[in-house]
């Protein structure tokens, strides 16, 4: 009888253990299933404002006017979602896209010496190596690659041998800017990828104000800045600037960069040069807003006039501010009606 009782108790204990084991297994399976089941991520919030691209064109030291445009936009609460730059536009645009405020950008523009950007060399490919420019940009953007910059950024260059436009939206920021700013026969064309890739030259050869690139990257609104407009003020400044060119062209980083569009205009027979110039102007005019600072009377080769160039950019942008705000409001309403 005692043996039967022991067997009975054993069976009950075994049953209880089995139940506990089953419950534990079920619990573990449930937990595993929960962990394996894809989490239902909520959709990213729909945009509530249109994508605004700020396109900064080439133009040597006249590009300091870009800083003034950025100042005016910031003062009016307008931050672009994309910055696209050619040549000097890529220099200023990359630093701005890295998170610089307008005030910090202006300070950098006013205090950076030509010697920080210019590394002369003896080569049949050019007289500026471009390494200083690359390293300067990477230092300013804290070594961030293009794809990690707080504001989306693109640098426009041209493949040296085919003159095919290249738009860099990823990779080494300084290297892309170096390529975008490598004036033919002045700067040694860098390779991208470094050392093994194709050679690239100044984007001003193919797209001086890269509006189409901004459109291709999805911009709803394109605000373009052209600092190469001809002088609209007194002509006496032209002769002064011509003389100044001869004095400064061998020592100033910006005077060498200025060759970007001067040299390109004379690089081919008149018919081809004029045709290329016309295409570039038409591209610029495809922007929604075109800001043209009055910088023709200022020396694009004289870095001492940086404050005047910045002021001219700010003034030109403020003249367009009502139109810019209205365009953003209209586009917002059409894309995201309440």
């Amino acid at each position: 009888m005692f043996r039967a009782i022991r067997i009975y108790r054993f069976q009950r204990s075994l049953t209880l253990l089995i139940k506990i084991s089953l419950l534990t297994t079920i619990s573990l399976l449930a937990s595993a299933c929960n962990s394996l089941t894809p989490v239902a991520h909520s959709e990213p919030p729909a945009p509530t404002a249109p994508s605004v691209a700020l396109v900064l064109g080439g133009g040597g030291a006249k590009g300091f006017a870009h800083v003034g445009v950025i100042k005016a936009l910031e003062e009016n609460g307008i931050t672009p979602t994309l910055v696209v730059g050619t040549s000097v536009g890529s220099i200023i645009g990359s630093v701005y896209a890295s998170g610089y405020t307008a005030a910090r950008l202006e300070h950098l523009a006013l205090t950076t010496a030509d010697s920080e950007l210019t590394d002369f060399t003896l080569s049949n490919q050019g007289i500026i190596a471009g390494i200083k420019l690359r390293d300067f940009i990477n230092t300013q953007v804290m070594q961030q690659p293009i794809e990690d910059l707080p504001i989306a950024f693109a640098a426009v260059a041209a493949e040296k041998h085919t003159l095919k436009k290249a738009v860099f939206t990823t990779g080494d920021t300084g290297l892309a800017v170096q390529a975008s700013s490598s004036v033919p026969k002045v700067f040694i064309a860098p390779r991208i990828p470094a050392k093994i890739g194709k050679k690239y030259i100044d984007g001003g050869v193919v797209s001086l104000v890269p509006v189409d690139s901004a459109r291709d990257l999805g911009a709803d609104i394109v605000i373009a800045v052209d600092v190469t407009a001809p002088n609209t003020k007194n002509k006496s400044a032209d002769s002064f600037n011509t003389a100044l060119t001869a004095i400064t062209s061998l020592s100033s980083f910006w005077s060498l960069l200025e060759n970007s569009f001067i040299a390109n205009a004379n690089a081919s027979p008149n018919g081809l040069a004029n045709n290329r110039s016309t295409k570039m102007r038409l591209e610029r005019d495809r922007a929604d807003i075109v800001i043209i600072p009055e910088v023709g009377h200022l020396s694009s080769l004289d870095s001492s006039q940086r404050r005047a160039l910045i002021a001219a950019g700010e003034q030109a942008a403020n003249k367009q501010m009502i139109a810019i705000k209205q365009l953003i409001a209209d586009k917002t309403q059409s894309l995201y009606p309440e």
Side-chain angles (χ1 to χ4, degrees):
M1 179 177 176
F2 289 111
R3 187 168 180 271
I5 292 173
R6 284 199 298 271
I7 292 173
Y8 173 73
R9 287 177 177 174
F10 173 76
Q11 288 176 336
R12 285 191 62 185
S13 298
L14 182 61
T15 301
L16 181 61
L17 286 172
I18 292 172
K19 286 182 178 180
I20 293 172
S21 177
L22 285 173
L23 288 172
T24 302
T25 301
I26 292 170
S27 176
L28 290 172
L29 285 173
S31 176
C33 288
N34 285 337
S35 65
L36 293 173
T37 302
V39 177
H41 293 290
S42 59
E43 291 295 323
T48 57
S51 170
V52 179
L54 177 62
V55 174
L56 305 177
K62 289 184 178 181
F64 283 109
H66 292 321
V67 177
V69 172
I70 291 169
K71 281 185 65 179
L73 292 174
E74 183 180 290
E75 288 168 359
N76 284 273
I78 298 171
T79 302
T81 51
L82 168 67
V83 178
V84 183
T86 287
S87 198
V88 67
S90 74
I91 295 174
I92 292 172
S94 63
V95 178
Y96 173 54
S98 75
Y100 271 52
T101 63
R104 189 179 174 197
L105 187 63
E106 181 177 23
H107 176 76
L108 184 69
L110 293 173
T111 58
T112 300
D114 285 1
S115 59
E116 296 181 60
L117 306 172
T118 311
D119 44 1
F120 288 102
T121 186
L122 293 175
S123 170
N124 58 8
Q125 299 179 56
I127 61 173
I128 299 291
I131 305 304
K132 271 194 173 183
L133 172 61
R134 182 195 67 193
D135 292 346
F136 175 83
I137 294 298
N138 279 333
T139 296
Q140 302 309 316
V141 305
M142 296 180 293
Q143 308 301 325
Q144 294 178 96
I146 296 174
E147 61 269 25
D148 288 347
L149 298 179
I151 298 177
F153 172 70
V156 177
E159 201 277 310
K160 182 177 180 180
H161 300 295
T162 64
L163 296 186
K164 181 179 179 181
K165 182 173 73 172
V167 182
F168 295 104
T169 57
T170 61
D172 187 315
T173 304
L175 183 59
V177 170
Q178 178 189 356
S180 180
S181 306
S182 290
V183 180
K185 300 180 181 179
V186 176
F187 292 75
I188 295 177
R191 293 181 181 274
I192 299 179
K195 298 183 180 180
I196 61 172
K198 295 179 180 179
K199 290 184 176 181
Y200 291 90
I201 59 175
D202 194 294
V205 172
V206 292
S207 184
L208 191 58
V209 186
V211 170
D212 292 346
S213 298
R215 294 286 189 203
D216 293 341
L217 291 170
D220 297 314
I221 295 172
V222 176
I223 303 170
V225 186
D226 182 6
V227 297
T228 67
N231 184 17
T232 58
K233 296 193 176 183
N234 70 72
K235 295 184 179 294
S236 62
D238 289 339
S239 58
F240 172 78
N241 291 341
T242 301
L244 186 63
T245 299
I247 298 172
T248 62
S249 61
L250 296 179
S251 60
S252 168
F253 171 85
W254 304 104
S255 67
L256 294 168
L257 194 62
E258 187 75 12
N259 285 292
S260 175
F261 61 90
I262 295 175
N264 292 334
N266 300 317
S268 55
N270 287 336
L272 293 176
N274 289 337
N275 183 51
R276 181 164 54 190
S277 177
T278 299
K279 286 183 177 179
M280 289 188 186
R281 187 173 63 253
L282 289 173
E283 178 182 11
R284 181 203 71 180
D285 292 344
R286 285 193 283 274
D288 297 292
I289 299 286
V290 180
I291 298 173
I292 304 177
E294 285 282 355
V295 293
H297 64 295
L298 297 170
S299 170
S300 57
L301 308 180
D302 183 5
S303 297
S304 67
Q305 296 193 55
R306 294 178 187 184
R307 289 188 185 277
L309 289 160
I310 292 171
E314 187 173 8
Q315 183 179 31
N318 280 325
K319 287 181 179 179
Q320 298 264 36
M321 200 55 64
I322 293 176
I324 292 171
K325 289 181 177 180
Q326 188 61 54
L327 177 62
I328 293 174
D330 291 344
K331 184 67 71 171
T332 301
Q333 182 60 34
S334 66
L335 292 175
Y336 315 108
E338 294 181 359

